[in-house]
Amino acid sequence: MCLGIPAKVLEVNDNIALVDYGGGVKKKVDCSLVPDIKPGEYVIVHAGAIIERISKEDYEETMKILMELLKYSK
Amino acid sequence: MTHLELTKPFQSRELAKAIVKKINKLSVELSKKGFEKINIMHVCGTHEHTITYYGLRALLPENINVIAGPGCPVCIVPAREIDEAIKLAKEGIRIFTYGDMYRVPGSYEGLSQAKAQGARVTIVYGFLDAIRLAQKSEEETVFFGVGFETTAPTTASFIVNNKVPKNLSILMSYRITVPAVEYILSAPHNLNGIICPGHVSTIIGAGAWSFISEKYELPTVVAGFEPIDVLLAILYILEQLINGKAELINEYKRVVKWEGNQVAKKYLSEAFMVADRDWRGIGVIPNSGWLLNDKYDYLDAREKFNVKIDKWIDIKGSCKCADVVLGRAIPTDCPYFGTSCTPQHPIGACMVSSEGTCSIWYKYGGHMIRKMRKDINTEGI
Ligand code: SF4
């Protein structure tokens, strides 16, 4: 039940955000736990609410670690 | 870019191969160092889903044992609280519940059976749905508030922001994972490392788990939910074991901050108070749940409708659900698994929820892995 689904924020209006799950699926969710969220950001949605944003910098940092791993395994 | 593209690298076969290669190497070194078996516990149903669905156990060397711990918030709700919801629903009060909770058996029946007999039960996706539906009528309604740290803050935020309509109250069943993990670690155990739940950590912060590495001296990794996340967590634990270290690593940095979600934490402490609560078939775990703060007493469904259940049945027959939740048994240890207990006819709660270990093993064949390992040589994969 702690399943969180990544999504992209399309609109934000008074603590309600319209998010895009990809594949044409969009839904209005609560964003009072991440009140400063902006359209264009990626987030994790859980049980109808955004619980956190996906940090671009940290995502890229993890990708670097993964690429290194791949490089040295060859 | 869509979320599908975001998660893709974390499902890469190439990367999985590279990580498994390292894991294999380390496991050989560890057995040379005297580690006969390396027991790694995770505490999240979504982790178990990833591990079983992607068949990760089959990729791991024999001496690495990944154990499912208390990671299913639906599985641990005592039958008493389900009985309370059923009682209210039968009295004509509309109960809003998550779909996962709908079919979990109480002492005698679940909400789904009660509904078939005319009780008022509506499945919702979240608290926001319950608020919207309650606003549409004057009837008395109750939200069955089930979940861990990930789920509770949304309810708390609506309470604090005064957005709960007068005809909606809450049946509080929220539980806290950290004390449950401490409950397991403070008893005798044979664990060598812990994988912490990413989305619970989103709220409470990676730092909330530092007691595992500091007090219990176990390598600890906060991990995400794609197969690469889980494999990395295992790798990070093995690396620590080789180096004789016990540290807390945050693998899921892209989502989890060290201090967590401060806004959510503030809502939680304003709306709720921490209390000793019982877990289904396990008993009371100190400080392991939330109840409404005195200020919000008027939202408490138990008080409002004076519902009280004195006798209830958590565990039926030889169901091993409580041991499965605590990581002390695996589903196939249970005589009912796949015979008299199936997702269509569940005996215990672990066979119902999509996060329950029994249900996951039944659906995705987790029980086959041991046999498969013997039949197929997975070395070098
Ligand atoms: S298989 Fe069914 S009866 Fe056995 S432990 Fe799991 S839920 Fe309980």
Side-chain angles (χ1 to χ4, degrees), chain B residues 128-161:
Chain B
L128 180 60
D129 282 356
I131 289 177
R132 283 187 182 142
L133 290 169
Q135 278 165 340
K136 282 190 188 152
S137 79
E138 300 272 291
E139 67 175 338
E140 282 298 340
T141 57
V142 167
F143 177 68
F144 197 0
V146 172
F148 287 146
E149 292 95 319
T150 325
T151 322
T154 327
T155 308
S157 81
F158 285 109
I159 294 172
V160 173
N161 291 325

Side-chain angles (χ1 to χ4, degrees), chain A residues 1-4 6 21 27 30 32-33 42 44 46-49 51-55 58-59 63 66 69 73, chain B residues 1 3 6 9 15 18 21-22 73-74 125 146 150-151 154 157 199 202 232 253-255 257 261 263 355:
Chain A
M1 232 182 82
C2 294
L3 182 71
Y21 290 113
K27 202 170 159 37
D30 170 47
S32 49
L33 301 180
Y42 289 94
I44 298 286
H46 163 76
I51 52 168
E52 194 51 278
R53 52 164 56 81
I54 301 175
S55 139
D58 289 313
Y59 181 87
M63 288 315 294
L66 295 181
L69 252 167
S73 77
Chain B
M1 191 152 72
H3 84 274
L6 267 186
L15 266 168
K21 209 166 147 190
K22 281 188 156 227
V74 168
Y125 181 56
V146 172
T150 325
T151 322
T154 327
S157 81
H199 290 143
T202 303
L232 271 182
K253 256 193 199 146
R254 61 190 190 272
V255 178
K257 293 185 206 134
N261 182 329
V263 178
E355 307 254 300

Side-chain angles (χ1 to χ4, degrees), chain A residues 1-8 14-17 20-25 27-36 40-63 65-74, chain B residues 1-7 9-10 14-15 18-19 21-22 44 46 71 73-74 98 100 125-129 132 146-148 150-151 153-154 157-158 161 163 199-200 202-203 225 228 232 235-236 251-257 260-261 263-264 267 353 355:
Chain A
M1 232 182 82
C2 294
L3 182 71
I5 304 168
K8 187 176 185 173
D14 189 25
N15 276 348
I16 301 287
D20 183 358
Y21 290 113
V25 185
K27 202 170 159 37
K28 279 187 179 168
V29 295
D30 170 47
C31 61
S32 49
L33 301 180
V34 192
D36 55 346
E41 285 193 273
Y42 289 94
V43 292
I44 298 286
V45 181
H46 163 76
I50 294 174
I51 52 168
E52 194 51 278
R53 52 164 56 81
I54 301 175
S55 139
K56 196 168 173 281
E57 296 78 51
D58 289 313
Y59 181 87
E60 281 163 3
E61 195 194 308
T62 310
M63 288 315 294
I65 297 174
L66 295 181
M67 290 310 117
E68 290 282 295
L69 252 167
L70 210 52
K71 209 163 92 194
Y72 288 110
S73 77
K74 290 210 167 131
Chain B
M1 191 152 72
T2 67
H3 84 274
L4 294 173
E5 286 161 56
L6 267 186
T7 49
F10 293 90
E14 285 293 300
L15 266 168
I19 301 168
K21 209 166 147 190
K22 281 188 156 227
C44 181
T46 315
V74 168
Y98 291 111
D100 252 18
Y125 181 56
F127 195 46
L128 180 60
D129 282 356
R132 283 187 182 142
V146 172
F148 287 146
T150 325
T151 322
T154 327
S157 81
F158 285 109
N161 291 325
K163 293 212 173 123
H199 290 143
V200 161
T202 303
I203 305 298
F225 299 97
I228 296 302
L232 271 182
L235 176 66
Y236 291 159
E251 183 278 334
Y252 200 32
K253 256 193 199 146
R254 61 190 190 272
V255 178
V256 174
K257 293 185 206 134
N261 182 329
V263 178
Y267 280 132
S353 165
E355 307 254 300

Side-chain angles (χ1 to χ4, degrees), chain B residues 315-325 329-342 345-352 357-359 362:
Chain B
I315 299 289
K316 283 167 203 138
S318 307
C319 167
K320 292 200 179 305
C321 232
D323 287 333
V324 169
V325 164
I330 53 173
T332 42
D333 291 338
C334 171
Y336 304 147
F337 179 79
T339 53
S340 48
C341 183
T342 63
H345 299 283
I347 292 176
C350 305
M351 190 50 103
V352 184
T357 307
C358 295
S359 152
Y362 185 88

